[in-house]
Amino acid sequence: MMNRLKQSIWFFYSIYLYFIYHLLITPTVLDFSILGVIIVVTVILLLIAVIPKQLKRPFLVFSFLVLLADRALFNAKMLDGFVYIVGVIVILISIFLLGKWIGRLSTVPLILLLISALSTSMLFNRDDVKILSHFQLLWKSAPLYVGGTIDYFPHAVVDIDEDGMDEIIAMGNVKEIRKLTKEELEVEEDKDYLLEPENLYLYILKWNGKTMERIPTKEIDTASLLLKDYPGFPYFMIHNNSLIPITQRLELAKGISQFGTAPFHAMALNIENLATQLANKGVFDAKESFDRTTFHDVQILHGRISGYVQDRYFSAGSTASKIIGDIRLPNNKEGIVLLGNRLEILTLDQNNQVSFVYPLTKEMIPNIGTTEVLITDVNGDQLDEMILSFPFTSLSKTIIIKPDINGENKILWKARDKSFRIDDVWLEKGTTNNELIVLDKSHLGSNPIRYLSAYVYDEDVLQRKWKVFKSLINVRSGDVDGDGEKELVASVYQKHTLYILKPHHIPVYLLLITITIVLFVYGLIRRVRYAKLPEKE
């Protein structure tokens, strides 16, 4: 019985090693760069030091084989059908033989290693394990879009039927387009690679208690709920549920291959795209209702913005082309944030006179016209601030602006790295301050890959609450399963896959660190206790 218990330790050790590698070792290196490498190497050397000499080789080889099996089984998932099965068998046999030959391990530990490797490979996707440090994966979709022309599509999280559960509104075509056979793919490869119109469809996804299922649109104008985003702009535009190319690769190559004409060709595509959209829509932008204020039925048409505040009508000339949203201002004022060649806020006085205040021009902030604005109460004063995020190629960096009581814009915080981007705001269960959902890169090298993080504004700085080393985009918060706690909905760049992440409130890092300390102390006590004392002469 005791011998079986000792043998089973190998199984639990392999599970522990799997999680500590993905949830503690890799994040430490990514988060602290060279310092993280030093910390990891130091801890590993200390753990090796307390292993009895006769067990060092088996433990080191066993540990190496656990990580090797993890990686190999993950790579094997790229194979299909019978080839995949053969690949897995070859991997398992190879791991077993390596353990026998190099580590001189007995049969039982090796069988337990293979069982744990197969279990973790089947239960977890290696790319998604890092999510478990703070979330459980409530649901993950298959790719919603079939096509190679667009990197990503926008999505929204909105309670469209007002039942207390948010729905996910996305775009795709995977259910409507038949997957080509191998023979058809070969025929397609022989054709000229021309861009053609692609049909797109609204996907409204709702939680049914077990998974997300697609539901009918019910004549709801859900397209208006999507964030204003223009996939593939200016080379594509969305019209009548179709993704329409307005240029071709050969035409584009000819237009931009000459240095002198390239900027003008790009500008011509911009003008053509915008002109077509205006001809189809008739308005630059419109919004029927707002969350924070009494504005409603606001639209920008023919160089004028008009709408209502309660029952008062207003109209004024404006160069804005986009309605960002409403905002709560000092002195109990209400406003609408507008974006055009500058960012400004529309307000009304008691005499119904329109004013444009708190302007931010391109001289103040370069590339202001490309900014994405998030309006929220960052510092908890019951007034709103504006979070400005910019494309990675922009000259500007993320900045938090507060419309101050003196009529000027006050900078609350500014990013030091242009990769830092704030996507959304949420109030996690058990917390009192709004958390900013951030995409932020690691400190290891200059790789621009950004990972999911959360920060809170406190004492004029942003303090990080947690970080998950999974690269996601378009992160939105909402109560998808209707339990009163918000989840995060995000997608993966170029893969058109949706994730729903639910906080699990388990102190994963603390548990792993505690287990590591316990193992070290146990090994140290065992080494000291059973060390052979020198014989007396």
Side-chain angles (χ1 to χ4, degrees):
M1 181 67 180
M2 186 59 66
N3 186 50
R4 288 184 180 178
L5 182 61
K6 288 181 179 179
Q7 295 283 14
S8 65
I9 291 176
W10 291 100
F11 176 80
F12 293 111
Y13 171 71
S14 64
I15 298 296
Y16 157 79
L17 186 61
Y18 175 85
F19 284 110
I20 199 170
Y21 173 77
H22 289 290
L23 299 180
L24 200 58
I25 293 177
T26 302
T28 299
V29 173
L30 290 174
D31 209 15
F32 298 102
S33 188
I34 301 300
L35 178 60
V37 174
I38 294 173
I39 293 172
V40 168
V41 171
T42 302
V43 172
I44 290 174
L45 291 177
L46 287 173
L47 291 171
I48 292 174
V50 299
I51 300 175
K53 186 176 180 179
Q54 64 274 20
L55 293 178
K56 271 188 172 61
R57 183 188 183 98
F59 259 100
L60 291 177
V61 173
F62 186 89
S63 302
F64 170 75
L65 292 178
V66 168
L67 301 180
L68 179 63
D70 170 40
R71 183 68 193 187
L73 290 173
F74 173 73
N75 290 339
K77 290 182 178 180
M78 292 185 290
L79 305 174
D80 292 321
F82 179 73
V83 180
Y84 168 72
I85 297 174
V86 172
V88 170
I89 293 173
V90 170
I91 290 170
L92 297 180
I93 293 175
S94 300
I95 295 293
F96 186 88
L97 294 177
L98 284 173
K100 281 289 188 181
W101 175 45
I102 300 177
R104 298 169 189 169
L105 291 161
S106 60
T107 301
V108 174
L110 285 172
I111 291 176
L112 294 175
L113 185 156
L114 299 180
I115 292 174
S116 69
L118 281 173
S119 301
T120 52
S121 177
M122 289 187 293
L123 291 174
F124 306 103
N125 185 315
R126 194 174 191 270
D127 282 342
D128 300 336
V129 174
K130 297 177 183 65
I131 291 172
L132 299 178
S133 63
H134 195 77
F135 298 94
Q136 61 171 312
L137 184 57
L138 186 65
W139 179 77
K140 177 182 176 181
S141 76
L144 299 180
Y145 169 70
V146 178
T149 55
I150 299 301
D151 291 333
Y152 69 91
F153 288 100
H155 60 260
V157 182
V158 185
D159 184 7
I160 58 176
D161 55 6
E162 300 181 353
D163 65 346
M165 294 172 59
D166 289 327
E167 288 77 39
I168 301 175
I169 306 170
M171 303 180 75
N173 59 13
V174 67
K175 295 294 185 181
E176 291 78 14
I177 293 182
R178 180 178 60 86
K179 188 176 181 180
L180 298 179
T181 64
K182 184 180 293 186
E183 293 75 16
E184 290 172 328
L185 285 172
E186 291 175 355
V187 173
E188 287 292 322
E189 290 176 358
D190 293 336
K191 293 181 179 180
D192 293 332
Y193 193 21
L194 297 177
L195 300 177
E196 298 178 352
E198 300 178 15
N199 290 331
L200 287 177
Y201 303 87
L202 280 172
Y203 280 45
I204 304 180
L205 305 171
K206 188 177 183 64
W207 184 254
N208 64 6
K210 295 181 179 180
T211 186
M212 300 295 289
E213 63 179 2
R214 189 176 176 186
I215 62 173
T217 59
K218 297 180 180 178
E219 304 301 325
I220 299 174
D221 184 18
T222 48
S224 64
L225 301 176
L226 287 171
L227 293 179
K228 294 293 185 297
D229 204 338
Y230 303 96
F233 182 88
Y235 313 113
F236 294 85
M237 62 183 176
I238 296 177
H239 177 56
N240 291 336
N241 288 336
S242 291
L243 188 66
I244 302 173
I246 64 172
T247 187
Q248 288 293 335
R249 288 185 170 87
L250 181 59
E251 175 189 343
L252 182 62
K254 289 179 179 179
I256 66 175
S257 59
Q258 299 183 39
F259 178 78
T261 62
F264 302 102
H265 185 77
M267 184 175 68
L269 288 175
N270 289 345
I271 294 173
E272 181 181 352
N273 197 320
L274 291 172
T276 305
Q277 291 184 45
L278 286 175
N280 292 329
K281 292 174 57 179
V283 296
F284 271 123
D285 202 1
K287 196 171 180 64
E288 293 183 359
S289 61
F290 297 86
D291 297 329
R292 306 173 183 85
T293 62
T294 56
F295 283 96
H296 61 94
D297 296 311
V298 178
Q299 70 171 7
I300 302 174
L301 176 64
H302 302 315
R304 296 190 68 83
I305 181 169
S306 60
Y308 294 87
V309 177
Q310 296 179 346
D311 58 351
R312 293 184 296 155
Y313 176 77
F314 68 89
S315 177
S318 174
T319 60
S321 58
K322 186 175 183 180
I323 301 170
I324 301 297
D326 57 338
I327 185 170
R328 297 171 298 177
L329 297 170
N331 297 323
N332 295 320
K333 288 187 175 181
E334 299 179 347
I336 297 179
V337 181
L338 303 172
L339 180 63
N341 57 4
R342 65 177 185 173
L343 187 71
E344 58 191 2
I345 300 176
L346 178 150
T347 61
L348 269 71
D349 60 19
Q350 295 297 326
N351 297 321
N352 220 38
Q353 294 297 312
V354 174
S355 299
F356 297 96
V357 295
Y358 301 105
L360 289 170
T361 66
K362 59 184 179 180
E363 288 77 23
M364 299 176 182
I365 301 179
N367 305 121
I368 187 65
T370 65
T371 186
E372 293 186 22
V373 185
L374 182 62
I375 304 169
T376 187
D377 181 10
V378 173
N379 57 5
D381 63 352
Q382 306 305 311
L383 299 176
D384 294 319
E385 288 76 42
M386 296 181 293
I387 302 173
L388 277 56
S389 295
F390 296 85
F392 186 76
T393 54
S394 172
L395 298 174
S396 298
K397 302 171 184 176
T398 297
I399 187 171
I400 301 177
I401 299 289
K402 179 178 181 60
D404 212 352
I405 194 170
N406 60 6
E408 297 181 355
N409 289 307
K410 178 182 177 182
I411 298 177
L412 290 188
W413 182 87
K414 186 175 183 179
R416 289 177 292 181
D417 194 303
K418 65 179 183 179
S419 66
F420 192 97
R421 176 185 176 85
I422 301 175
D423 254 19
D424 202 359
V425 178
W426 77 334
L427 187 63
E428 190 176 357
K429 188 175 181 180
T431 61
T432 56
N433 295 329
N434 281 336
E435 291 183 353
L436 306 178
I437 304 302
V438 172
L439 302 179
D440 187 18
K441 76 181 188 68
S442 77
H443 295 109
L444 185 64
S446 57
N447 195 322
I449 293 178
R450 296 184 285 197
Y451 302 100
L452 182 63
S453 313
Y455 288 75
V456 293
Y457 181 84
D458 186 27
E459 298 180 356
D460 299 329
V461 297
L462 291 187
Q463 297 182 353
R464 197 175 81 187
K465 298 291 290 185
W466 49 261
K467 190 167 190 173
V468 173
F469 285 90
K470 172 71 178 177
S471 181
L472 298 166
I473 62 171
N474 291 344
V475 186
R476 306 287 176 254
S477 63
D479 184 9
V480 176
D481 59 1
D483 66 348
E485 181 178 13
K486 286 191 174 184
E487 292 80 38
L488 294 182
V489 179
S491 60
V492 179
Y493 182 66
Q494 292 187 329
K495 292 186 177 180
H496 310 288
T497 302
L498 292 177
Y499 283 72
I500 301 179
L501 309 181
K502 187 175 185 65
H504 54 52
H505 308 295
I506 299 173
V508 172
Y509 290 142
L510 180 61
L511 286 174
L512 290 174
I513 292 172
T514 301
I515 293 172
T516 304
I517 293 173
V518 169
L519 289 175
F520 175 77
V521 172
Y522 172 76
L524 185 62
I525 293 173
R526 183 180 176 86
R527 184 176 179 87
V528 172
R529 183 176 180 181
Y530 292 101
K532 292 184 179 180
L533 299 174
E535 295 182 1
K536 294 182 179 180
E537 296 183 356

